[in-house]
Amino acid sequence: MTKTIWLAGAALSVMAFPALAQTTPVQSPTPESAAQQGVLVFEPAFFADSRPDTALDMIARLPGFGLNTGNSGTRGFAGAAGNVLIDGDRPSSKSDSLDQVLRRISADSVERIELIRGGAPGIDMQGQSVVANVVLRRTVTVERVLEFNTYMYPDGYLGPILAGQYSRREGDNSIEGSISATTDRTDGTGDGFRRRYDPSGALIQDADLVLWDRFRNVRATGAVQRPFAGGKLRVNGLLGWFGSNRSQDVLIRSGPGIDNFTDEESDSVNGEFGVNWTRDLSPRLGLELVGLQRYGAEDYVGVSASGPNSSTFSADASRGESIGRAVLRFRPNDRWAFEGGGEIAYNFLDSATAFEENGVAIPLPSSSVKVEELRGEAFGQATWRPSPKLTIEAGLRVEVSEISQSGDSDQSKSFVYPKPRFQLTWTPWTGHQFRFRAERQVGQLDFGDFVASADIDIGQVEGGNPDLEPDKTTLLEAVYERRFWGEGVFEVSMQHGEVEDVIDIIPLVGGFDGVGNVGDGSFDQFQIRLTLPMDKLGVPNARLQARGSWVDTEVVDPLTGESRRFQGNQAFGCGINFNHDLQGGKYSYGFDHGCNVDKGRLFRVREVRALYFEPFVTLYGQWKPSSDTTIRLDVGNATDRESGYDRDIYAGPRDVAPVAFREVRRTKMSPWLFLQIRKTF
């Protein structure tokens, strides 16, 4: 631990000290210089035909751009970034998702949106190939918003959502707050069947499934931004509570067996406090400091009963994260930009689990464990634009971490991983762009894999495994983008990855399954995306978006020794989206269709599970009777899709035992209506 502390501390201090001695936050290009820097600028007039309410609505209309909200579950600050900046800065919150932040910014507050593809000097790309920068107006903007939304189901159940927000912005001064409350259900409510067949295909058991669930959520956020110490200081906070109940009844209709009932209940709280300070130390030198503290706690109890037999799995967990980060940015001229800095983070998960069968405690591998991680990262990158047609970005991150465990297992591991990255963007002709990327990526271990867990509804308990290594990927990517017809975009991309220490399921001591490393693997992905404006096809102010992706993965199965796909790998995925604005955005309608069915397979020691989901379709219509009122109605799950899985259950480990039976499970949730009413004051 001492070695890691020194390394992490040194990484942060070395990178931060020059900044304190002399350090420009990201400077957005002016509209006049944007074209020379490869930045596409979208003024409010571009979005006028759709009458957007929020910055999120505007982001959704950017041609060829897909919102990536980031991953709040990623430890540390850098790896959790999404692909949208606000006034050149990344939102300083992790728990408050990027889409929610954008939803709280009114469209009237947006001066313009810049789409940066492949990097540009002075733009913090957050490790992304494409980012959008939302530039806000400097004038006074005050907004009060109330929203009343509700889900409506065929059986008469209503799932209301109440939300309110307030914001005031004037230049670098701002104050904002929001609160929301929800109670609803998910696709965990519905009816279906579970059928079991012997190896010859003969039906041996038929059962009805009755699923029920409810969740409740209360969430409040707040942020204040003010000039401070010659720079700009932003303080933000979040507090939330989430509770859920689920039950499942398995009612035997034919064949051997008895009815089974399960009930699950969980409650969790989470909070976050963040501070972000930026300051220009010269016209071309800037400093950014970030501090973040998160905490969460969860209680879970799952009970299963079948005749005289019962089992109970319980888990209590608390987790937290503390982050300090410093970034120095230097832009000597319009062709070069440099960035360097460091980050240090402390994370912990303290979890205790217990499992009982008929009142008798059953020992679980790693049932009570505290996992702690101290990580440091030093990073630097340079962006060079030798000509208006070419941008080159190169960077290196060095991650140093130590993960220690105490409780049922006492051990620690130290890791040092360099993560180089290189990207070249070439725009040989107007409307044509090529992007090439080579990168070394290092995954993060899920602390939950160190601790025992359970799928109580199917009677599976999984042991914790303290002996894990993060996976490492060498990634190569090539992208071609063609822009046409003003708003049209055609993009084709290819990726190849070589993965070391693939994370999968392995057998553990005591006959339990658990997460572990299974060796090396590889993947190839080919994707096509199209944004098609339909004005020239006779449908003005309409847009069709489509995508298709094909993925081939390969790893050696830890039991059989044969090659197979990665866990849960979806070999093919696709989607189609259509929207049409009428009368200058007063009316809108459209649909979203997730057209793929294959969701991949899950491989366990005694089971192979094929996931199944029929296509999901949503229809919507929207009316804006006035500039401050929006009414929208969605028809969700319009096709009443069926979902579930097929399980091949083996009599023992599947490398030596035959199939005992096959289980087919299907459920339907039913369609629903989602009414949204938004009023701005």
Side-chain angles (χ1 to χ4, degrees):
M1 175 69 80
T2 302
K3 176 184 176 183
T4 304
I5 294 175
W6 277 106
L7 287 172
L12 181 63
S13 301
V14 168
M15 304 310 293
F17 180 78
L20 296 174
Q22 27 182 359
T23 295
T24 23
V26 175
Q27 295 183 354
S28 300
T30 63
E32 294 76 18
S33 66
Q36 286 72 39
Q37 295 190 9
V39 179
L40 301 179
V41 177
F42 297 88
E43 305 284 353
F46 175 84
F47 307 96
D49 286 336
S50 62
R51 291 195 195 180
D53 289 321
T54 68
L56 181 63
D57 297 334
M58 301 172 79
I59 288 291
R61 294 302 180 106
L62 287 180
F65 181 78
L67 175 63
N68 177 2
T69 60
N71 183 3
S72 63
T74 299
R75 298 188 298 279
F77 195 72
N83 62 354
V84 175
L85 305 174
I86 299 173
D87 278 340
D89 295 324
R90 171 188 169 187
S92 56
S93 174
K94 282 183 64 177
S95 301
D96 197 13
S97 63
L98 184 55
D99 58 334
Q100 293 298 323
V101 173
L102 294 170
R103 193 187 301 274
R104 292 197 296 269
I105 299 175
S106 70
D108 291 339
S109 300
V110 177
E111 178 74 24
R112 65 183 183 273
I113 297 181
E114 302 162 349
L115 187 61
I116 303 106
R117 302 164 299 143
I123 299 296
D124 182 6
M125 297 295 291
Q126 304 290 321
Q128 307 281 345
S129 299
V130 179
V131 301
N133 181 30
V134 179
V135 181
L136 302 180
R137 298 184 186 275
R138 308 293 292 176
T139 55
V140 177
T141 303
V142 179
E143 188 176 62
R144 303 169 185 85
V145 179
L146 290 178
E147 288 191 43
F148 173 77
N149 309 324
T150 186
Y151 287 91
M152 297 176 285
Y153 300 94
D155 61 2
Y157 180 79
L158 300 178
I161 304 172
L162 300 177
Q165 68 183 64
Y166 169 83
S167 64
R168 185 184 190 279
R169 299 182 182 88
E170 181 180 5
D172 289 335
N173 292 295
S174 68
I175 182 171
E176 59 187 62
S178 71
I179 187 168
S180 63
T182 309
T183 178
D184 195 14
R185 69 193 195 194
T186 71
D187 57 3
T189 293
D191 299 327
F193 64 84
R194 190 194 73 183
R195 293 169 185 158
R196 290 179 173 175
Y197 302 85
D198 67 17
S200 70
L203 180 66
I204 57 176
Q205 186 191 82
D206 189 8
D208 289 340
L209 291 176
V210 180
L211 310 180
W212 177 93
D213 80 321
R214 295 291 184 271
F215 72 86
R216 298 148 323 272
N217 185 28
V218 179
R219 184 181 177 93
T221 68
V224 178
Q225 182 173 286
R226 292 288 186 270
F228 178 77
K232 180 175 63 177
L233 178 68
R234 183 176 178 86
V235 179
N236 59 270
L238 177 147
L239 185 63
W241 169 81
F242 182 86
S244 68
N245 296 87
R246 297 178 56 195
S247 68
Q248 173 185 271
D249 296 348
V250 181
L251 308 173
I252 307 298
R253 295 306 179 199
S254 66
I258 54 179
D259 297 345
N260 175 267
F261 307 94
T262 61
D263 185 76
E264 299 174 83
E265 182 175 346
S266 66
D267 286 277
S268 62
V269 295
N270 67 92
E272 178 183 278
F273 178 77
V275 178
N276 180 285
W277 181 66
T278 58
R279 179 181 177 181
D280 291 340
L281 301 179
S282 77
R284 296 191 176 275
L285 193 65
L287 168 69
E288 179 182 17
L289 300 177
V290 176
L292 190 70
Q293 178 64 54
R294 299 203 299 168
Y295 178 81
E298 181 179 8
D299 296 328
Y300 167 86
V301 176
V303 178
S304 177
S306 181
N309 299 313
S310 66
S311 61
T312 302
F313 182 89
S314 61
D316 298 321
S318 60
R319 66 187 72 221
E321 179 175 40
S322 305
I323 299 175
R325 175 180 172 89
V327 184
L328 176 67
R329 300 187 179 99
F330 176 54
R331 187 181 176 190
N333 52 53
D334 290 340
R335 291 192 172 189
W336 284 94
F338 301 92
E339 176 181 304
E343 178 176 305
I344 187 168
Y346 168 74
N347 292 268
F348 77 89
L349 169 66
D350 194 351
S351 179
T353 60
F355 181 58
E356 295 182 353
E357 287 187 345
N358 297 323
V360 178
I362 305 297
L364 298 175
S366 300
S367 62
S368 180
V369 174
K370 183 175 184 179
V371 185
E372 298 176 275
E373 179 190 47
L374 182 63
R375 66 163 51 236
E377 185 174 80
F379 53 89
Q381 72 175 38
T383 302
W384 178 36
R385 191 171 180 84
S387 76
K389 296 182 178 182
L390 186 65
T391 301
I392 299 173
E393 179 184 311
L396 175 65
R397 297 175 179 269
V398 179
E399 175 186 321
V400 183
S401 65
E402 182 172 86
I403 298 179
S404 62
Q405 303 164 60
S406 57
D408 287 354
S409 60
D410 291 286
Q411 66 181 64
S412 64
K413 287 187 176 184
S414 297
F415 306 102
V416 179
Y417 294 118
K419 297 181 289 186
R421 183 178 189 271
F422 174 83
Q423 178 167 288
L424 182 148
T425 303
W426 180 41
T427 310
W429 314 285
T430 300
H432 298 263
Q433 187 176 86
F434 297 87
R435 297 191 291 271
F436 305 94
R437 177 167 62 109
E439 185 173 3
R440 178 71 166 175
Q441 300 175 335
V442 179
Q444 287 193 353
L445 297 177
D446 186 342
F447 284 179
D449 294 336
F450 290 76
V451 187
S453 60
D455 289 328
I456 200 72
D457 57 339
I458 58 175
Q460 285 185 343
V461 177
E462 195 169 277
N465 182 10
D467 191 23
L468 288 170
E469 296 262 349
D471 56 16
K472 282 79 67 177
T473 302
T474 300
L475 178 68
L476 302 175
E477 180 185 61
V479 180
Y480 167 68
E481 179 188 285
R482 174 72 169 103
R483 292 187 173 258
F484 62 95
W485 292 2
E487 299 180 29
V489 183
F490 172 77
E491 181 184 284
V492 58
S493 64
M494 292 175 286
Q495 284 188 349
H496 173 74
E498 296 289 335
V499 186
E500 303 170 25
D501 297 317
V502 174
I503 302 290
D504 210 290
I505 299 294
I506 63 174
L508 300 178
V509 175
F512 294 98
D513 293 359
V515 175
N517 301 104
V518 297
D520 299 342
S522 64
F523 66 86
D524 293 282
Q525 176 174 305
F526 177 76
Q527 179 171 271
I528 295 176
R529 298 178 60 180
L530 173 68
T531 300
L532 181 66
M534 305 189 70
D535 299 70
K536 293 188 177 184
L537 302 177
V539 189
N541 299 322
R543 183 174 65 167
L544 179 71
Q545 294 176 288
R547 67 165 182 86
S549 63
W550 295 260
V551 182
D552 179 44
T553 62
E554 185 176 6
V555 70
V556 175
D557 190 285
L559 264 71
T560 66
E562 298 176 350
S563 295
R564 62 161 170 82
R565 289 156 59 178
F566 285 2
Q567 287 274 359
N569 168 235
Q570 182 175 309
F572 172 72
C574 60
I576 301 173
N577 174 277
F578 173 81
N579 63 272
H580 189 194
D581 299 313
L582 303 171
Q583 296 186 25
K586 183 175 183 179
Y587 301 98
S588 301
Y589 70 93
F591 71 85
D592 186 42
H593 176 36
C595 51
N596 51 285
V597 177
D598 169 36
K599 293 294 183 179
R601 293 175 178 267
L602 303 179
F603 301 87
R604 303 179 66 91
V605 175
R606 296 171 179 80
E607 174 190 339
V608 176
R609 187 185 313 177
L611 304 178
Y612 176 84
F613 294 89
E614 290 182 343
F616 190 88
V617 177
T618 299
L619 311 174
Y620 84 89
Q622 183 171 281
W623 174 41
K624 296 187 175 182
S626 62
S627 60
D628 57 4
T629 304
T630 300
I631 301 173
R632 172 169 167 149
L633 184 66
D634 289 63
V635 181
N637 189 26
T639 56
D640 194 14
R641 74 166 179 173
E642 206 171 49
S643 62
Y645 48 72
D646 300 340
R647 300 171 66 198
D648 287 335
I649 312 296
Y650 291 75
R654 54 187 169 81
D655 58 328
V656 295
V659 173
F661 62 91
R662 186 184 190 199
E663 180 178 287
V664 177
R665 176 188 174 108
R666 297 288 187 269
T667 58
K668 286 188 174 184
M669 179 186 180
S670 80
W672 68 81
L673 299 178
F674 183 41
L675 176 65
Q676 304 173 68
I677 302 175
R678 186 181 195 270
K679 177 69 174 178
T680 303
F681 300 90

